[in-house]
Amino acid sequence: MHEAGIALHLIKCVIDRLETVPHGPVRQIHVRIGAMSGVCADALDFAFGCLARGTGLEDARLVFDVVPLTVACAACGATNPVEEYVFRCPACGSERTEIASGRELEVRTLEVEDVEVPCHA
């Protein structure tokens, strides 16, 4: 289950980012996962829940946005979803396509509780 390694990296990245800004508890971590990324959202969620204990992220919840697999056609310029892993342009039939989306794996946003930062006069 490579999702455990991904969860560890996600935890490290979030903690590293939060070290630079004042923040309250992390409530949600929004993650984009491409349909062809090879990552199972359920397995990543489970691994995150286990590995986040004791890190300050144990109460955070992962929220997933699954990005569909699409191709961009070099022949006609259309961008279309891929169905049944047929990488041919459905608009013109060309095989001159490139994956436009669907391989993503990224943290998009963090939702944290506000904290009061004292102002020094």
Side-chain angles (χ1 to χ4, degrees):
M1 177 168 99
H2 70 280
E3 282 82 359
I6 294 168
L8 280 173
H9 183 70
L10 187 150
I11 291 165
K12 181 185 179 327
C13 288
V14 170
I15 289 172
D16 288 351
R17 173 66 180 121
L18 291 175
E19 286 179 352
T20 64
V21 294
H23 63 87
V26 177
R27 293 293 169 219
Q28 294 183 345
I29 302 169
H30 293 258
V31 180
R32 288 174 34 112
I33 296 180
M36 197 170 148
S37 67
V39 176
C40 173
D42 289 339
L44 180 57
D45 191 48
F46 177 78
F48 177 84
C50 293
L51 298 169
R53 292 182 190 132
T55 67
L57 298 177
E58 56 269 352
D59 294 328
R61 184 173 74 92
L62 296 182
V63 177
F64 297 105
D65 176 21
V66 178
V67 180
L69 179 59
T70 64
V71 291
C73 179
C76 72
T79 300
N80 292 290
V82 171
E83 295 184 20
E84 299 181 11
Y85 291 97
V86 175
F87 292 86
R88 180 178 312 224
C89 178
C92 72
S94 174
E95 293 181 358
R96 294 178 39 216
T97 60
E98 291 188 17
I99 294 175
S101 69
R103 295 186 287 193
E104 296 84 346
L105 178 57
E106 60 188 358
V107 174
R108 295 298 294 167
T109 59
L110 303 174
E111 289 185 24
V112 298
E113 285 188 18
D114 290 336
V115 296
E116 290 187 33
V117 178
C119 293
H120 300 288

